[in-house]
Amino acid sequence: MNKRQAPIGILGFPVAPMDNEGNLDLEALGKNIEFLVEEGLSSVFVACGAGELHAISNEEYKSMVKVAVEKTKGKVPLYTGVGGNIAHALEQAKISEELGAEGYLILPPYLIDPSQDGIYNYLSEIIQSTDLNSIVYQRDNCILEAETLQKLCELPQLVGFKDGVGNMELNVEFTHLIGDRLEWINGMPLAEVTMAAYVNLGFTSYSSAISNYIPHISAKYYEALLKGDKEVVHDLYENVIFPIHRIRKQKKGYAVSLIKAGMQIVGLPVTTNVRAPIAPVEETHYRELKVIIEKALEKYPAKVAAV
């Protein structure tokens, strides 16, 4: 039996492109995924937080997964997002298995603030519902304690832990107790901001929002971080990462809508339309982001493939 392996490195999270009527644009999604694959992202996670899982129907979900399977097959691992209502999550897990995904990221349950045994029951039921790889996502109302995560590690389908909370004391405890049984993924908003702290705990992967529009800069940052090139890391923090982060913090929901704005600015075929309750990027913030990206591309130009 082959050993299960979670994706490592910089993970790609495509958006859910919408047309001007608010309908899902599958052609634009395909181009988004092609861009991520061509730019060297280690894997693709479709219909997750950036992909507005909370706002799409299961029919739309199925369509997105089909496109993602087509665009990633034989190239990089494909994971999907599942979560929310337990019945919907189980249906999404089954769709993912039937269409050929390698695994799924489990997002928090809907509304309820559960006990630890409730969280375990929710996650374990989804994990065991298929033979696909599973990654649990620590965020919002799904906060695992060490004993719960250790118990989940008894399930062979569980391959990874993604942290979106930033409780470093808890992360130290988790990585100490569990070690390399799981792949440790930094899932904080604009994860490049915090990856310098996470990498010292054994986190070797992160989800990169900016890789949807300036992937070469995220790659340059991570390479410099792993090499200990403090000058390059400092330079990228100063000129790109922190300026974008300051805009992202201006409004809730910008973790999603700011990605679409950045993609449109660099010329990818994506509108800035999002579905409620996420709000689109304000014009002032759009202009500020455009200036940052233009300066970043001038200072750190993307490599052009030789023809």
Side-chain angles (χ1 to χ4, degrees):
M1 182 176 177
N2 292 331
K3 184 179 184 297
R4 292 177 182 267
Q5 176 66 54
I8 59 173
I10 306 176
L11 317 179
F13 282 71
V15 299
M18 308 288 177
D19 64 21
N20 290 326
E21 284 71 49
N23 299 313
L24 196 61
D25 185 341
L26 294 175
E27 184 177 354
L29 172 64
K31 292 186 182 302
N32 185 181
I33 294 171
E34 286 174 350
F35 178 75
L36 293 172
V37 172
E38 289 168 1
E39 290 292 331
L41 278 292
S42 70
S43 53
V44 168
F45 285 68
V46 71
C48 296
E52 299 182 65
L53 177 64
H54 67 279
I56 58 174
S57 70
N58 269 0
E59 278 305 308
E60 290 174 318
Y61 179 88
K62 187 181 293 187
S63 298
M64 291 178 73
V65 176
K66 282 181 178 178
V67 170
V69 168
E70 177 190 338
K71 298 297 182 182
T72 60
K73 193 169 185 179
K75 298 174 183 175
V76 298
L78 172 67
Y79 279 64
T80 62
V82 305
N85 176 313
I86 183 68
H88 290 170
L90 292 170
E91 187 177 347
Q92 291 158 353
K94 184 57 66 177
I95 290 169
S96 300
E97 182 177 49
E98 290 173 350
L99 294 179
E102 184 171 308
Y104 39 74
L105 172 68
I106 306 175
L107 279 74
Y110 174 71
L111 191 61
I112 303 298
D113 186 11
S115 60
Q116 285 299 296
D117 55 346
I119 291 174
Y120 175 83
N121 292 339
Y122 172 81
L123 293 172
S124 63
E125 185 172 353
I126 298 170
I127 291 169
Q128 295 180 93
S129 70
T130 77
D131 194 46
L132 299 186
N133 290 345
S134 296
I135 297 171
V136 294
Y137 197 175
Q138 178 99 327
R139 60 173 291 176
D140 301 317
N141 59 333
C142 189
I143 306 300
L144 295 161
E145 295 176 2
E147 185 178 348
T148 308
L149 184 57
Q150 285 181 301
K151 190 176 178 183
L152 287 169
C153 284
E154 295 171 6
L155 306 176
Q157 297 97 320
L158 182 64
V159 298
F161 172 90
K162 183 180 181 184
D163 179 51
V165 176
N167 183 333
M168 302 310 276
E169 180 180 339
L170 194 57
N171 287 332
V172 170
E173 183 181 9
F174 284 171
T175 54
H176 171 74
L177 290 172
I178 295 168
D180 62 5
R181 163 65 183 85
L182 297 177
E183 181 65 32
W184 304 96
I185 303 167
N186 176 5
M188 293 294 288
L190 219 170
E192 288 84 358
V193 171
T194 53
M195 195 59 191
Y198 277 84
V199 75
N200 291 318
L201 301 182
F203 281 66
T204 56
S205 305
Y206 66 91
S207 53
S208 175
I210 64 173
S211 284
N212 279 294
Y213 52 96
I214 44 174
H216 67 290
I217 290 179
S218 180
K220 184 178 183 69
Y221 160 81
Y222 195 39
E223 181 183 11
L225 180 65
L226 295 180
K227 286 182 175 179
D229 192 334
K230 294 181 180 179
E231 184 177 347
V232 171
V233 170
H234 178 273
D235 204 33
L236 289 167
Y237 273 142
E238 184 73 19
N239 294 303
V240 188
I241 296 169
F242 283 144
I244 294 176
H245 184 55
R246 292 184 191 108
I247 299 175
R248 189 201 63 76
K249 294 191 296 180
Q250 294 299 310
K251 183 180 283 191
K252 289 182 177 181
Y254 270 14
V256 175
S257 53
L258 202 67
I259 300 173
K260 291 184 176 181
M263 293 171 70
Q264 187 180 72
I265 287 166
V266 300
L268 291 168
V270 174
T271 71
T272 58
N273 296 320
V274 289
R275 286 184 180 169
I278 294 175
V281 173
E282 295 178 14
E283 184 60 35
T284 300
H285 296 146
Y286 185 97
R287 290 196 299 267
E288 290 174 0
L289 180 63
K290 189 171 187 290
V291 170
I292 294 166
I293 291 173
E294 288 174 346
K295 288 182 177 179
L297 291 175
E298 183 177 343
K299 187 174 180 63
Y300 314 103
K303 293 180 180 178
V304 179
V307 179

